[in-house]
Amino acid sequence: MRDSLIIKAAFSEATERPPVWMMRQAGRFMPQYWEIKNKYSFLEMCKTPEIAADVTMLPVDLLGIDAAILFSDILVTGEAMGGDLSFTQGIGPKFANPVRTQKDIDALQTNVGDKLQYVADAIKVIQQRLNGSIPLIGFAGAPFTVMSYLVEGGSSKDFKLTKLMMHNEPAMAHQLLSKIADVTADYLNMQIAAGVNAVQIFDSWAQALSWDDYTEFSHNYIAQIISKLNRKDIPVISFCKGSSVFAPLMAEAKPDVISIDWNVDLLDMKRRLPQGTAVQGNLDPHILYADKKVIKERIYRLFDRMKGENGFIFNLGHGIMPDIPFDNVKYAIDVIKEYTF
């Protein structure tokens, strides 16, 4: 795997073309995903290694991407710690027992590796199926994002309860974040031991935070996690919504790659980062709704801008939306693979 396009690019080595994978690539935009999803609940899919492997392999077989990403969810750590997690169609994730008091925080468990063993089992099945063809990316949710779901009890537009805890009860917020960070570091190391070839940390809601709050309640914990990872030959990718603002600070946590959203010029941002930090991104996913000639023009515009730069992985600035036409995604991958640096 060390010679694969993605791993070489992640370590800022030269590649003949930009490697490509896409966040949420094994998801709801594929009819084949729905054939599986209509038979099982989302958590059943995550917790059954063979099914998780089936879904992980869909974009490998149907799109020809350069890396697979483990099919799972960022909230499995919160569930393992004691959260009563469910997913409802059209509503999303819910924790029936939100974490809002000192007693709730004290009740959360941190020695939860056995409860997440199904993820390690899935990784082993997926690697058997990949058979060394392309790398497998593992992942986890960042502490602030997992905290926000635990405190709010689900998705939130304003993160009011989470921010109230941070601002009125900062000691409680730090205790909760510290517990999540410990679990997350152990969880990612478990994935590495099980055989993933790279890991990504997703801070999906970081853009809700001010600079100071991001520094105190997100960045410091991500830095702590990355410092604990067994990362020999395993690149670490750091992603957050808001990376066009936070990327220079994200780099201080020493990831190998920073995934950049679409609100910034990618080359300008790369030049603001420390030498040897790779970037991933940063096409606006809405481009994939457009006509094919527009998709090609926008991809080539990005690639022409990044030409000659080592350390560039093509991705979207965030995940694929569920109603993006499959043919457009496949076309984008084909366009990318035809391009030479």
Side-chain angles (χ1 to χ4, degrees):
M1 283 304 107
R2 189 63 185 78
D3 288 334
S4 69
L5 286 177
I6 290 249
I7 305 298
K8 285 170 76 172
F11 286 129
S12 294
E13 295 167 12
T15 54
E16 59 269 26
R17 67 164 171 85
V20 52
W21 72 279
M22 295 185 183
M23 288 181 270
R24 295 204 196 113
Q25 68 186 18
R28 293 170 291 174
F29 71 102
M30 286 191 279
Q32 294 84 353
Y33 172 87
W34 284 105
E35 285 173 23
I36 300 170
K37 176 72 184 76
N38 290 334
K39 294 179 195 165
Y40 307 98
S41 74
F42 183 76
L43 279 172
E44 276 181 299
M45 292 163 70
C46 292
K47 291 185 176 186
T48 312
E50 292 290 338
I51 300 171
D54 288 344
V55 181
T56 300
M57 292 300 293
L58 287 176
V60 179
D61 297 333
L62 299 172
L63 293 171
I65 35 73
D66 292 316
I69 183 165
L70 169 70
F71 179 76
S72 186
D73 192 82
I74 59 171
L75 297 181
V76 296
T77 47
E79 186 196 40
M81 293 173 76
D84 182 359
L85 178 64
S86 62
F87 288 84
T88 308
Q89 191 64 39
I91 297 172
K94 288 277 179 197
F95 282 107
N97 55 340
V99 176
R100 293 175 185 165
T101 66
Q102 184 65 52
K103 189 178 173 188
D104 295 337
I105 295 169
D106 291 342
L108 292 173
Q109 301 164 19
T110 53
N111 188 11
V112 295
D114 56 330
K115 293 184 182 172
L116 293 164
Q117 182 59 38
Y118 63 86
V119 176
D121 295 341
I123 288 164
K124 287 167 186 164
V125 176
I126 294 161
Q127 285 291 31
Q128 283 172 347
R129 301 227 197 141
L130 288 171
N131 195 27
S133 56
I134 55 172
L136 174 62
I137 302 168
F139 71 92
F144 169 74
T145 290
V146 175
M147 171 195 177
S148 76
Y149 280 102
L150 285 170
V151 173
E152 303 289 339
S155 299
S156 172
K157 287 193 168 77
D158 59 10
F159 305 93
K160 181 179 176 183
L161 295 169
T162 311
K163 290 189 174 192
L164 270 174
M165 184 186 286
M166 285 161 41
H167 298 147
N168 286 347
E169 304 283 354
M172 270 172 53
H174 283 300
Q175 191 184 350
L176 175 54
L177 287 162
S178 187
K179 279 190 156 187
I180 298 168
D182 287 346
V183 168
T184 306
D186 290 345
Y187 176 52
L188 287 171
N189 278 329
M190 181 186 86
Q191 292 184 36
I192 291 167
V196 298
N197 307 107
V199 293
Q200 177 158 313
I201 299 170
F202 283 85
D203 205 355
S204 306
W205 300 128
Q207 90 283 10
L209 295 172
S210 69
W211 182 273
D212 287 350
D213 285 344
Y214 176 77
T215 305
E216 182 178 351
F217 294 100
S218 179
H219 166 70
N220 289 341
Y221 290 97
I222 291 170
Q224 198 180 105
I225 290 164
I226 292 175
S227 74
K228 293 178 179 176
L229 296 182
N230 304 323
R231 57 194 287 200
K232 181 175 166 27
D233 293 332
I234 307 287
V236 177
I237 308 167
S238 184
F239 164 81
C240 81
K241 275 174 95 172
S243 53
S244 51
V245 175
F246 296 131
L249 181 56
M250 292 166 75
E252 293 179 18
K254 298 191 167 47
D256 299 289
V257 186
I258 296 177
S259 196
I260 307 291
D261 61 36
W262 63 90
N263 300 108
V264 71
D265 180 275
L266 193 59
L267 184 60
D268 287 350
M269 180 54 79
K270 190 171 194 305
R271 288 175 174 166
R272 289 172 57 197
L273 297 174
Q275 190 82 29
T277 305
V279 291
Q280 176 176 280
N282 74 332
L283 191 74
D284 178 351
H286 293 80
I287 298 293
L288 297 180
Y289 287 118
D291 294 339
K292 287 181 176 173
K293 67 179 195 304
V294 178
I295 294 171
K296 182 171 187 172
E297 189 271 323
R298 289 302 189 95
I299 289 170
Y300 271 52
R301 186 190 297 182
L302 174 62
F303 283 8
D304 290 347
R305 182 85 175 119
M306 296 301 291
K307 201 159 196 160
E309 290 289 320
N310 292 343
F312 167 44
I313 298 167
F314 176 88
N315 209 311
L316 305 176
H318 196 233
I320 299 174
M321 278 77 80
D323 59 345
I324 285 177
F326 176 85
D327 285 353
N328 286 12
V329 182
K330 178 75 176 105
Y331 176 75
I333 304 281
D334 292 343
V335 165
I336 290 157
K337 292 174 92 166
E338 287 165 7
Y339 190 96
T340 50
F341 256 14

